[in-house]
């Protein structure tokens, strides 16, 4: 599935991922291939992405995530890698 992490300043990440874990406002959750559509708010915390090369972490200060048609878009207030 395809993931984009975007802040008001720039595109932080764009690429294929196998899984992504998010710090949801009501608890953390993970999105896998062919996940059902959803929209959720994000709390401060880490986004963990799993790719064929391993795992990467991004720290967000909150935002929104949308999952639709095997594409994930994260609109984050700010991100530190």
């Amino acid at each position: 599935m395809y993931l984009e992490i975007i802040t008001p300043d720039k595109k932080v990440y764009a690429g294929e991922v196998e899984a992504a874990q998010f710090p949801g406002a009501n608890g953390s959750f993970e999105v896998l291939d062919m996940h059902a559509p959803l929209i959720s708010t994000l709390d401060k915390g880490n986004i963990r992405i799993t790719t064929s090369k391993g795992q990467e972490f991004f720290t967000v200060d909150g935002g929104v995530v949308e999952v639709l048609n095997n594409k994930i878009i994260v609109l984050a207030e700010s991100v530190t890698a």
Side-chain angles (χ1 to χ4, degrees):
M1 70 193 144
Y2 190 77
L3 169 69
E4 283 186 335
I5 301 175
I6 302 167
T7 67
D9 301 342
K10 62 184 175 185
K11 186 180 290 189
V12 177
Y13 181 88
E16 292 291 323
V17 298
E18 296 173 358
Q21 186 176 37
F22 299 98
N26 294 321
S28 68
F29 62 95
E30 188 167 27
V31 175
L32 300 172
D33 195 36
M34 301 305 291
H35 196 283
L38 75 86
I39 295 175
S40 177
T41 55
L42 299 175
D43 270 349
K44 291 183 180 183
N46 289 326
I47 295 175
R48 182 186 76 202
I49 62 170
T50 304
T51 67
S52 58
K53 297 177 184 174
Q55 293 186 344
E56 282 187 65
F57 294 87
F58 300 91
T59 302
V60 296
D61 284 337
V64 178
V65 60
E66 177 188 46
V67 179
L68 184 63
N69 296 329
N70 229 26
K71 183 176 181 181
I72 306 167
I73 299 175
V74 177
L75 304 174
E77 293 174 19
S78 68
V79 176
T80 54

